[in-house]
Amino acid sequence: MKRKNLIGLGIVAPAVLGISGITAISARLYDYAFRRVDYVPETSADKQKYADDYYDYVNWFHSVPSHQWTLHPSDLENRVEATFIPAANPNAKTTVIIAHGYKGNGETMSNYAKMFYDMGYNVLLPDDRAHGNSSGDYINFGWIDRQDFAEWSHNVVNNIGEDSKIIMFGVSMGGATIQMTSGEMLPPQVKLMISDCGYSDLRSELSYLLKNQFHLSPTIFVPIINAINHHRLGFSIDDVSSVKQLKKNTRPFLFIHGEKDVYVPTYMVDECFEACPEPKDIWIVPNASHAESFWINPAAYKAKVTQFIKKYLN
């Protein structure tokens, strides 16, 4: 959410609004943040310099052999799609399930998919609900998606075999999704988890963005946004907590975060790291903005991830 969007949203100072005006603005804010969009928004200006490399990865994604997997195929309201990329070695037993970011889809994770593919792994790239080819009208910020990711892990076991090894990985909202998935009952084949710049909890993230991007009072707007979400999606934004879920985690966990992240502030990864039981590791990437850690130095990123995997996969 950027301040330049305030004019388009028709937002004015709360002091000149009555209750009905505040409610109307809250509804606009909710639709702006939660309603699905059937396109991938333009990336931030600080990452435009990586555009050529990004599209090289996207071209790879469309050229590599892949298959479509589906959850709930006969349920139009809960149908969830994923792209499965088998490893070059047909006998590969390790699969990485990758969670994409806010208003993205599996394709937008092409760079990470190729990184893991080049490491010899199968890759599964779901489209979250209200994203890509999956159903849904409103983004749930990983809370319902976490249950889908648990189901995806069972699908991997069913398709690849009981001797599967599963790594879960996500970036931004996808990082939070993996953090929240860590607190679920998962099959023993899920061996470790990696999150890059995931948020600590949804109330804190929304409050931070309202205050720092929109210069609006979270105290005024968040309770109404929460009420709208409870009506639309059936849960409170206070339920959406990486910190609470990570306390139940039983697997090795690597946290990655950019030092200069102003979208998900770095203090949030400290909260997540503190909540997570051992074994765990954390890497704060110098000079990296939000979701930029890979792009600053792909080789260093791959080396850090490889080191963690080699230490704990077996």
Side-chain angles (χ1 to χ4, degrees):
M1 287 190 276
K2 298 180 181 179
R3 197 174 191 277
K4 66 180 182 181
N5 289 309
L6 290 175
I7 296 175
L9 287 170
I11 295 176
V12 296
V16 303
L17 297 170
I19 293 176
S20 61
I22 291 173
T23 301
I25 295 302
S26 298
R28 290 192 181 191
L29 286 166
Y30 181 85
D31 278 351
Y32 177 77
F34 286 75
R35 187 181 289 276
R36 82 175 290 151
V37 293
D38 289 315
Y39 62 89
V40 176
E42 186 175 288
T43 190
S44 57
D46 64 311
K47 289 193 280 295
Q48 290 289 343
K49 58 183 175 287
Y50 307 118
D52 289 344
D53 290 338
Y54 170 75
Y55 284 109
D56 285 343
Y57 286 115
V58 170
N59 289 336
W60 169 86
F61 174 84
H62 288 291
S63 65
V64 70
S66 64
H67 312 286
Q68 290 304 118
W69 288 13
T70 306
L71 296 181
H72 323 126
S74 60
D75 185 348
L76 294 181
E77 292 186 359
N78 293 289
R79 184 184 178 101
V80 185
E81 300 283 350
T83 300
F84 178 75
I85 301 174
N89 178 0
N91 297 316
K93 290 296 183 179
T94 299
T95 301
V96 184
I97 305 177
I98 298 179
H100 65 74
Y102 177 67
K103 294 185 178 178
N105 55 38
E107 178 191 283
T108 62
M109 305 299 282
S110 296
N111 55 314
Y112 304 102
K114 189 174 188 302
M115 179 184 74
F116 287 115
Y117 179 88
D118 289 346
M119 292 163 68
Y121 304 143
N122 306 307
V123 180
L124 184 65
L125 299 125
D127 289 348
D128 286 354
R129 292 169 185 247
H131 294 80
N133 293 319
S134 295
S135 65
D137 295 324
Y138 294 97
I139 297 167
N140 65 82
F141 287 87
W143 186 240
I144 300 174
D145 297 319
R146 84 193 195 285
Q147 298 171 328
D148 293 330
F149 273 77
E151 195 168 346
W152 284 125
S153 68
H154 287 286
N155 274 23
V156 169
V157 174
N158 292 338
N159 283 278
I160 306 301
E162 292 290 330
D163 56 347
S164 292
K165 295 179 181 179
I166 298 172
I167 299 166
M168 289 192 164
F169 172 90
V171 178
S172 190
M173 188 184 76
T177 301
I178 297 307
Q179 290 171 171
M180 290 185 281
T181 303
S182 74
E184 299 301 300
M185 294 292 293
L186 301 171
Q189 288 85 355
V190 178
K191 300 300 182 182
L192 58 90
M193 314 186 99
I194 304 170
S195 169
D196 184 338
C197 62
Y199 54 81
S200 55
D201 65 84
L202 186 53
R203 177 176 284 271
S204 295
E205 178 65 10
L206 290 177
S207 297
Y208 171 84
L209 292 175
L210 281 171
K211 182 178 180 179
N212 291 278
Q213 301 288 340
F214 275 7
H215 304 282
L216 295 174
S217 168
T219 304
I220 294 173
F221 290 100
V222 170
I224 303 174
I225 292 171
N226 186 32
I228 296 169
N229 187 71
H230 202 283
H231 176 72
R232 298 262 175 92
L233 289 177
F235 60 83
S236 168
I237 62 173
D238 294 313
D239 295 333
V240 187
S241 172
S242 293
V243 169
K244 291 178 183 177
Q245 290 289 99
L246 282 164
K247 289 178 179 179
K248 299 182 284 183
N249 174 51
T250 61
R251 292 167 173 82
F253 210 115
L254 172 62
F255 298 89
I256 301 171
H257 213 98
E259 177 192 30
K260 295 184 177 179
D261 195 331
V262 296
Y263 191 79
V264 178
T266 307
Y267 68 78
M268 288 193 175
V269 74
D270 295 331
E271 295 173 347
C272 291
F273 184 76
E274 179 66 24
C276 185
E278 296 282 358
K280 58 187 176 181
D281 196 4
I282 187 169
W283 182 35
I284 305 300
V285 181
N287 299 314
S289 63
H290 185 67
E292 192 186 17
S293 295
F294 172 92
W295 298 106
I296 280 183
N297 191 332
Y301 193 98
K302 182 178 181 180
K304 182 66 177 181
V305 169
T306 300
Q307 178 188 45
F308 186 78
I309 291 173
K310 284 185 175 180
K311 183 175 182 179
Y312 291 111
L313 186 60
N314 295 317

